[in-house]
Amino acid sequence: MADLTLPLNAIRAFLAAARHQSFTLAAHELNVTHGAISRQIKNLEGYLGMPLFERRTRQVLLTERGRQFFEEASPALEILANAARRVMRDAPTRTVVINVRPSFAVRWLIPHLSDFVERYPGIAPQVVTSTATVGKAGSSFDIAVRRGETNWPETLKVQRFMEDELVLVASPALLQAMPLEDVSGLARHTVLLSRSRRNDWEDWRKLAGLKRSRSQAMLHFDHVHFVLQAVVDGLGVALSPVSLADNDLRSGRLVCPFPDLRLTLAPYYLGINAQAGSEAQLFARWLAEYRGASLMFAGG
């Protein structure tokens, strides 16, 4: 007997590609690779027994049957999504507790969190912050995120989460007033430093080939998120992990004057508590969809 199970993931990929008339834009929307979209659509075409797209050089066009399927499948999938949202809204609220460092919470997690809440309205994320290692974090949690693969308790299932790099950032207004044509121009700027990342300036200075200067003006803050706010306000320039500055870089509040001068940082890892429920698995899956998003910044 033929397998009649609907390939819902393939249908979702098809609908995105049909809306955009592009596999590339569909991949960007769903945060997957171009190849993944292509494979899903081929699977769907095999399931239906007909081509849905006409492939041309740098372009895809819906066939007549593809257009018909798109027009009928779009509202059907929306009905399913709305039904799922209603059921989840009416169900008792569940929680997932996420333990992260303060700067990661403020600069990366919270800006993305509305997407999780929209997708899973029956699950309430609770963000707790700590600067301690996970083993010494104190309060109980379902998921923790930290840099590096050391100092993780054996009770957690740990997996690599997101790569990261260190770059120089500044406000456009500051650079308009005091342009940075090359790294030697940094001598005229105030460098903003985080006490939680004490070695960044020395490491980046060596990468840039800058000599140590006793006359370099510097201001110190406790955490990176304070530093970044000070940079946005034009108090000086700073080094920041791309993951934490990404939203400001994308919006244009900050720019990277030397995009080729990057230092590779220890990647982020996430750990799932063995006692956590299915909510933690859903949150981890959601996190994985954003994996690597902070490295999309191309500089300039």
Side-chain angles (χ1 to χ4, degrees), residues 13 22-24 56 62 70 85 91 142 199 211 238 245 247 249 257 298:
S22 166
F23 288 5
T24 300
R56 297 183 180 180
L62 284 169
F70 174 66
R85 292 188 189 102
D142 299 307
N199 299 322
K211 294 182 179 179
N247 284 325
L249 290 166

Side-chain angles (χ1 to χ4, degrees), residues 49-68:
M50 66 186 69
L52 298 171
F53 286 98
E54 179 184 343
R55 276 86 165 167
R56 297 183 180 180
T57 304
R58 297 184 179 179
Q59 187 180 23
V60 292
L61 298 174
L62 284 169
T63 64
E64 184 178 347
R65 291 292 182 87
R67 189 175 300 108
Q68 178 186 353

Side-chain angles (χ1 to χ4, degrees), residues 14 45 71 77 81 93 95 103 135 147 153 160-161 182 263 299:
F14 163 76
E45 290 175 327
E71 291 173 355
L77 203 62
T93 300
T95 61
S103 291
R147 287 193 189 275
R160 199 177 180 111
F161 165 42
D182 55 53
L263 275 176

Side-chain angles (χ1 to χ4, degrees), residues 123-258:
I123 301 176
Q126 297 181 3
V127 180
V128 295
T129 62
S130 173
T131 58
T133 60
V134 175
K136 299 179 180 179
S139 60
S140 61
F141 56 84
D142 299 307
I143 288 183
V145 177
R146 291 290 191 282
R147 287 193 189 275
E149 55 184 333
T150 59
N151 299 317
W152 288 91
E154 294 181 359
T155 54
L156 300 184
K157 180 181 178 183
V158 180
Q159 60 193 62
R160 199 177 180 111
F161 165 42
M162 186 170 64
E163 311 301 318
D164 207 357
E165 294 174 310
L166 187 75
V167 296
L168 189 79
V169 294
S171 74
L174 180 66
L175 294 187
Q176 186 174 4
M178 298 175 63
L180 267 176
E181 296 180 0
D182 55 53
V183 292
S184 64
L186 285 169
R188 300 187 298 121
H189 285 267
T190 299
V191 175
L192 311 179
L193 303 173
S194 166
R195 293 186 178 90
S196 61
R197 301 193 57 87
R198 296 177 182 275
N199 299 322
D200 283 353
W201 176 247
E202 284 302 306
D203 292 341
W204 190 88
R205 182 184 59 78
K206 292 174 183 176
L207 173 71
L210 284 174
K211 294 182 179 179
R212 182 178 295 176
S213 172
R214 295 183 180 275
S215 61
Q216 180 73 60
M218 295 183 176
L219 289 177
H220 295 262
F221 298 83
D222 285 340
H223 298 291
V224 178
H225 56 280
F226 296 145
V227 169
L228 286 170
Q229 185 58 55
V231 179
V232 169
D233 291 337
L235 290 181
V237 301
L239 294 167
S240 171
V242 175
S243 60
L244 304 186
D246 189 60
N247 284 325
D248 287 321
L249 290 166
R250 290 176 186 273
S251 69
R253 288 188 294 270
L254 294 179
V255 295
C256 177
F258 308 117

Side-chain angles (χ1 to χ4, degrees), residues 9-74:
N9 285 336
I11 293 174
R12 186 178 178 219
F14 163 76
L15 293 177
R19 278 196 305 275
H20 295 292
Q21 295 284 287
S22 166
F23 288 5
T24 300
L25 293 178
H28 182 71
E29 176 186 323
L30 299 179
N31 202 32
V32 298
T33 64
H34 180 283
I37 293 291
S38 181
R39 286 191 297 273
Q40 290 279 24
I41 291 174
K42 283 183 179 179
N43 290 340
L44 181 60
E45 290 175 327
Y47 176 86
L48 296 174
M50 66 186 69
L52 298 171
F53 286 98
E54 179 184 343
R55 276 86 165 167
R56 297 183 180 180
T57 304
R58 297 184 179 179
Q59 187 180 23
V60 292
L61 298 174
L62 284 169
T63 64
E64 184 178 347
R65 291 292 182 87
R67 189 175 300 108
Q68 178 186 353
F69 185 68
F70 174 66
E71 291 173 355
E72 296 185 17
S74 295

Side-chain angles (χ1 to χ4, degrees), residues 83-92 94 119-123 282:
R85 292 188 189 102
R86 285 193 297 271
V87 169
M88 293 176 73
R89 254 184 222 110
D90 295 339
R94 298 174 290 165
R119 291 195 196 188
Y120 304 101
I123 301 176
L282 286 173

